[in-house]
Amino acid sequence: MLQVKYDRDQILHVIENVTKKTLDMDLTWDWPGGVAYYGVSRAYQTTGNQEILDRLVKWADEYIELGLPSWTVNTCAMGHVLITLYEETGDQKYWDIVLSKVDYLQNHALRFGDNVLQHTVSVSNDFPEQAWADTLFMAAFFLLRVGSKLKDEAMIQDALNQYYWHIKYLQDPTSSLWYHGYNNINKDHMSGFYWGRANAWGAYTMSQVKPQLNDWYLYPQCMDVECALRDQLAALKLVQTENGLWRTVLDDEESYEEVSASAGIAAAMINNGNPLHTKYVQKALEGILNNISEDGRVLGVSGGTAVMKDRDGYRNIPKDWIQGWGQGLALAFLSDMLR
């Protein structure tokens, strides 16, 4: 087991501050809100604070009344918090929206190759035959959660198929680090950089597969997930900075340290439970806490990032603003710490 030392009361205080700040943000029904409110729902599950649930319900109900956007891979990220709202309130309207997102992903979303979800951010054909690591959080992990809840084997298999092919497309077999994206038309990784948050999407969502499946060992793709995560985390520990963080381009010493990626990677290490990763999680905890303000802002989080053309494209993404994904991944990490 991991033997990380921490002050529980301090972590709970930080969770409270980050949660409050996140709920005060005017996030919309898209992936920033999806990741943010996933983290908030994890904070609720960790603390049992009814006020958190009440504010999530109020936000969701107001948005539902105003009208929801069209579904894309990215807007399906909001499905995570809806699962929690349905489980906690029993209100069928939340589950109906979850199922409408599942219907979109299974029957309408663009796919290519071996039934792989193409990453989409709008109703247009944004990135033809491209697989991005982001899709694992926004769609595959969501499908796995719903499939496991319903005991729907076809849905579970679809979700695991997404994991399998994203591993094949995005994990470099030599370094075990993950590329940001893959272009199936050109058969390349486009600019070909090991983007920090892509590695967080991959590592964090892979670390969630076993907890979702009681008989995970009966699914052959889970063996791929287990080995891919094992090798990725072994590689990631080698590029952690002295400050306990990971860079926005992992192997580029001139790239800045990026806190959302660091939170996702460290959370994956916690969930994977390898005792040899204790010292890396300990350093990450200190580094992440040092980048959370007293009023709950997670600092040092890069803006939304497409697959950039070159190294400078990644280096120059601004990190001066708080972002929903930074808030959400930090809350997931801190909640996993107290699990």
Side-chain angles (χ1 to χ4, degrees), residues 293-330:
S293 68
E294 180 58 31
D295 66 342
R297 290 174 291 125
V298 180
L299 309 175
V301 175
S302 63
T305 307
V307 180
M308 305 304 288
K309 294 180 179 179
D310 52 34
R311 192 180 303 271
D312 283 342
Y314 288 99
R315 287 175 176 174
N316 293 323
I317 295 292
K319 60 180 180 68
D320 299 328
W321 307 92
I322 62 169
Q323 305 286 1
W325 49 93
Q327 303 291 112
L329 286 170

Coordinates of all heavy atoms in Angstrom, one line a residue, residues 293-330:
S293 N -4.7 28.2 -4.2 CA -4.9 29.4 -3.4 C -5.8 29.2 -2.3 O -6.6 28.3 -2.3 CB -5.3 30.6 -4.3 OG -6.7 30.4 -4.7
E294 N -5.8 30.1 -1.3 CA -6.7 30.0 -0.1 C -8.1 30.1 -0.5 O -9.0 29.5 0.1 CB -6.3 31.1 0.9 CG -7.1 31.0 2.2 CD -7.1 29.7 2.9 OE1 -6.0 29.0 2.9 OE2 -8.1 29.4 3.6
D295 N -8.4 30.8 -1.6 CA -9.8 30.9 -2.0 C -10.2 29.8 -3.0 O -11.3 29.9 -3.6 CB -10.1 32.3 -2.6 CG -9.4 32.6 -3.9 OD1 -8.4 31.8 -4.2 OD2 -9.8 33.5 -4.7
G296 N -9.4 28.8 -3.1 CA -9.8 27.6 -3.9 C -9.5 27.6 -5.4 O -10.1 26.8 -6.1
R297 N -8.6 28.5 -5.8 CA -8.3 28.5 -7.2 C -7.1 27.5 -7.5 O -6.1 27.6 -6.8 CB -7.9 29.9 -7.7 CG -9.0 30.9 -7.8 CD -8.6 32.3 -8.1 NE -7.8 32.9 -7.0 CZ -6.6 33.4 -7.0 NH1 -6.0 33.4 -8.2 NH2 -6.0 33.9 -6.0
V298 N -7.2 26.6 -8.4 CA -6.1 25.7 -8.8 C -5.3 26.5 -9.8 O -5.8 26.8 -10.9 CB -6.6 24.4 -9.3 CG1 -5.5 23.5 -9.7 CG2 -7.5 23.7 -8.3
L299 N -4.0 26.7 -9.5 CA -3.2 27.6 -10.3 C -2.4 26.8 -11.3 O -2.3 25.5 -11.1 CB -2.3 28.5 -9.4 CG -3.0 29.2 -8.3 CD1 -2.0 29.9 -7.4 CD2 -4.0 30.2 -8.9
G300 N -1.7 27.4 -12.3 CA -0.8 26.8 -13.2 C -1.5 25.7 -14.1 O -0.8 24.7 -14.4
V301 N -2.7 26.0 -14.5 CA -3.4 25.1 -15.4 C -3.5 25.6 -16.8 O -3.9 26.8 -17.0 CB -4.9 24.9 -14.8 CG1 -5.7 24.0 -15.8 CG2 -4.8 24.3 -13.4
S302 N -3.0 24.9 -17.7 CA -3.0 25.3 -19.1 C -4.4 25.4 -19.7 O -5.3 24.6 -19.3 CB -2.2 24.4 -20.0 OG -2.7 23.1 -20.0
G303 N -4.6 26.3 -20.6 CA -5.9 26.5 -21.3 C -6.3 25.3 -22.2 O -5.4 24.3 -22.3
G304 N -7.5 25.3 -22.7 CA -7.9 24.2 -23.6 C -6.9 24.1 -24.8 O -6.5 25.1 -25.4
T305 N -6.5 22.8 -25.0 CA -5.4 22.6 -25.9 C -5.7 21.6 -27.0 O -6.0 20.5 -26.8 CB -4.1 22.1 -25.2 OG1 -3.9 23.0 -24.1 CG2 -2.9 22.1 -26.1
A306 N -5.7 22.1 -28.3 CA -5.8 21.2 -29.4 C -4.5 20.5 -29.6 O -3.5 20.8 -29.0 CB -6.2 22.0 -30.7
V307 N -4.4 19.6 -30.6 CA -3.1 19.0 -30.9 C -2.4 20.1 -31.7 O -2.7 20.4 -32.8 CB -3.3 17.7 -31.8 CG1 -1.9 17.1 -32.1 CG2 -4.1 16.7 -31.1
M308 N -1.4 20.6 -31.0 CA -0.7 21.8 -31.6 C 0.3 21.4 -32.7 O 0.7 20.2 -32.8 CB 0.1 22.5 -30.4 CG -0.9 22.9 -29.3 SD -2.3 23.9 -29.8 CE -1.5 25.5 -30.1
K309 N 0.7 22.4 -33.5 CA 1.6 22.2 -34.6 C 3.0 21.9 -34.2 O 3.7 21.2 -34.9 CB 1.5 23.3 -35.6 CG 0.1 23.6 -36.2 CD 0.2 24.7 -37.2 CE -1.2 24.9 -37.8 NZ -1.2 26.1 -38.7
D310 N 3.5 22.5 -33.1 CA 4.9 22.4 -32.8 C 5.0 22.5 -31.3 O 4.1 22.8 -30.5 CB 5.7 23.4 -33.5 CG 5.2 24.8 -33.4 OD1 4.7 25.2 -32.3 OD2 5.3 25.6 -34.4
R311 N 6.3 22.4 -30.8 CA 6.6 22.5 -29.4 C 6.2 23.8 -28.8 O 5.6 23.9 -27.7 CB 8.1 22.2 -29.2 CG 8.5 22.0 -27.7 CD 9.9 21.7 -27.6 NE 10.4 20.6 -28.4 CZ 10.4 19.3 -28.0 NH1 10.0 19.1 -26.7 NH2 10.8 18.4 -28.7
D312 N 6.5 24.9 -29.5 CA 6.1 26.2 -29.0 C 4.6 26.4 -28.9 O 4.2 27.2 -28.0 CB 6.7 27.3 -30.0 CG 8.2 27.5 -29.8 OD1 8.7 27.1 -28.7 OD2 8.8 28.1 -30.7
G313 N 3.8 25.7 -29.7 CA 2.4 25.7 -29.5 C 2.0 25.3 -28.1 O 1.1 25.9 -27.5
Y314 N 2.6 24.2 -27.6 CA 2.3 23.8 -26.3 C 2.9 24.7 -25.2 O 2.2 25.0 -24.2 CB 2.8 22.3 -26.1 CG 2.0 21.3 -26.8 CD1 2.4 20.8 -28.1 CD2 0.8 20.8 -26.3 CE1 1.7 19.8 -28.8 CE2 0.1 19.9 -27.0 CZ 0.5 19.4 -28.2 OH -0.2 18.4 -28.9
R315 N 4.1 25.1 -25.4 CA 4.8 25.9 -24.4 C 4.1 27.3 -24.2 O 4.1 27.8 -23.1 CB 6.2 26.3 -24.9 CG 7.2 25.1 -24.8 CD 8.5 25.5 -25.4 NE 9.6 24.5 -25.3 CZ 10.8 24.6 -25.9 NH1 11.0 25.7 -26.6 NH2 11.7 23.7 -25.7
N316 N 3.4 27.8 -25.2 CA 2.8 29.1 -25.2 C 1.3 29.1 -24.8 O 0.7 30.2 -24.8 CB 3.0 29.8 -26.5 CG 4.5 30.1 -26.7 OD1 5.2 30.5 -25.7 ND2 4.9 30.1 -27.9
I317 N 0.7 27.9 -24.5 CA -0.7 27.9 -24.1 C -0.7 28.6 -22.7 O 0.0 28.3 -21.8 CB -1.2 26.5 -23.9 CG1 -1.3 25.7 -25.3 CG2 -2.6 26.4 -23.2 CD1 -2.3 26.3 -26.2
P318 N -1.6 29.6 -22.6 CA -1.6 30.4 -21.3 C -2.0 29.5 -20.1 O -2.8 28.6 -20.2 CB -2.6 31.5 -21.6 CG -3.5 31.0 -22.7 CD -2.6 30.1 -23.5
K319 N -1.5 29.9 -18.9 CA -1.8 29.2 -17.7 C -2.2 30.2 -16.6 O -1.9 29.9 -15.4 CB -0.7 28.2 -17.3 CG 0.6 28.9 -17.0 CD 1.7 27.9 -16.6 CE 3.0 28.6 -16.4 NZ 3.1 29.4 -15.2
D320 N -2.7 31.3 -17.0 CA -2.9 32.4 -16.0 C -4.3 32.4 -15.5 O -4.7 33.3 -14.6 CB -2.6 33.7 -16.7 CG -1.2 33.9 -17.1 OD1 -0.3 33.3 -16.4 OD2 -0.9 34.5 -18.1
W321 N -5.2 31.5 -15.9 CA -6.6 31.5 -15.5 C -7.0 30.2 -14.9 O -6.4 29.1 -15.2 CB -7.5 31.7 -16.8 CG -7.1 32.9 -17.5 CD1 -6.2 33.0 -18.6 CD2 -7.5 34.3 -17.3 NE1 -6.0 34.3 -19.0 CE2 -6.8 35.1 -18.3 CE3 -8.3 34.9 -16.4 CZ2 -7.0 36.5 -18.3 CZ3 -8.5 36.3 -16.4 CH2 -7.8 37.0 -17.4
I322 N -8.0 30.2 -14.0 CA -8.5 29.0 -13.4 C -9.4 28.3 -14.5 O -10.0 29.0 -15.3 CB -9.2 29.2 -12.1 CG1 -10.4 30.1 -12.2 CG2 -8.3 29.7 -11.0 CD1 -11.3 30.1 -11.0
Q323 N -9.4 27.0 -14.5 CA -10.1 26.3 -15.5 C -10.9 25.2 -14.8 O -10.4 24.6 -13.8 CB -9.1 25.7 -16.5 CG -8.2 26.7 -17.2 CD -8.9 27.5 -18.2 OE1 -10.1 27.4 -18.4 NE2 -8.1 28.4 -18.9
G324 N -12.0 24.8 -15.4 CA -12.8 23.8 -14.9 C -12.1 22.4 -14.7 O -12.3 21.7 -13.7
W325 N -11.3 22.1 -15.7 CA -10.6 20.8 -15.7 C -9.5 20.8 -14.6 O -9.3 19.8 -14.0 CB -10.0 20.5 -17.0 CG -9.3 21.5 -17.7 CD1 -7.9 21.8 -17.6 CD2 -9.8 22.6 -18.6 NE1 -7.5 22.9 -18.4 CE2 -8.7 23.4 -19.0 CE3 -11.0 22.9 -19.0 CZ2 -8.8 24.5 -19.8 CZ3 -11.2 24.0 -19.9 CH2 -10.1 24.8 -20.3
G326 N -8.9 22.0 -14.3 CA -8.0 22.0 -13.2 C -8.6 21.8 -11.9 O -8.1 21.1 -11.0
Q327 N -9.8 22.5 -11.7 CA -10.5 22.4 -10.5 C -11.0 20.9 -10.3 O -10.8 20.3 -9.2 CB -11.7 23.3 -10.5 CG -11.5 24.8 -10.7 CD -10.8 25.4 -9.5 OE1 -9.6 25.9 -9.6 NE2 -11.5 25.6 -8.4
G328 N -11.5 20.3 -11.3 CA -12.0 19.0 -11.2 C -11.0 17.9 -11.0 O -11.2 17.0 -10.1
L329 N -9.9 18.0 -11.7 CA -8.8 17.0 -11.5 C -8.2 17.1 -10.1 O -7.8 16.1 -9.5 CB -7.8 17.1 -12.6 CG -8.3 16.5 -14.0 CD1 -7.3 16.9 -15.1 CD2 -8.5 15.0 -13.9
A330 N -8.0 18.4 -9.6 CA -7.5 18.5 -8.3 C -8.4 17.9 -7.3 O -8.0 17.3 -6.3 CB -7.2 20.0 -8.0

